[in-house]
Amino acid sequence: LSRRQRQMCIRAAVNSTVSLELDNQVPYNWIQYYTWSTENKNIVTISPFGTIKGISRGQTTFTGLYQYNSRISILITIYVIE
């Protein structure tokens, strides 16, 4: 079984928010149908509907698994700058 994964890179600033937008290159681009996990919640958070908030300077990775097919995932590297 193959796994479909899309990689993205996003920049955000400390104490600001960015809205995540999935393009048509993602098999299912409805953000709310992904379950998000992160390596470090002290750097950035993400809401179920894709609002990204920079907490502190650094880099972390979020993984979004499609709720109806765990072989589909999105890997997002987020850089938080001052």
Side-chain angles (χ1 to χ4, degrees):
L1 298 174
S2 66
R3 180 178 204 124
R4 290 190 266 176
Q5 186 174 53
R6 168 85 165 113
Q7 295 186 357
M8 302 172 69
C9 180
I10 296 174
R11 293 187 187 273
V14 173
N15 295 322
S16 70
T17 59
V18 175
S19 293
L20 175 61
E21 295 181 19
L22 301 179
D23 57 26
N24 291 333
Q25 294 180 12
V26 176
Y28 303 97
N29 59 2
W30 294 334
I31 294 168
Q32 65 269 26
Y33 292 136
Y34 288 83
T35 301
W36 300 99
S37 62
T38 183
E39 294 175 345
N40 191 336
K41 290 183 180 178
N42 295 322
I43 294 176
V44 67
T45 61
I46 187 169
S47 77
F49 289 95
T51 301
I52 297 168
K53 181 175 183 182
I55 305 296
S56 64
R57 188 173 181 221
Q59 171 188 334
T60 190
T61 302
F62 271 95
T63 303
L65 289 178
Y66 184 61
Q67 294 176 4
Y68 302 108
N69 185 345
S70 62
R71 293 181 296 144
I72 298 172
S73 64
I74 302 171
L75 187 65
I76 303 173
T77 301
I78 301 176
Y79 299 93
V80 179
I81 57 175
E82 293 188 57

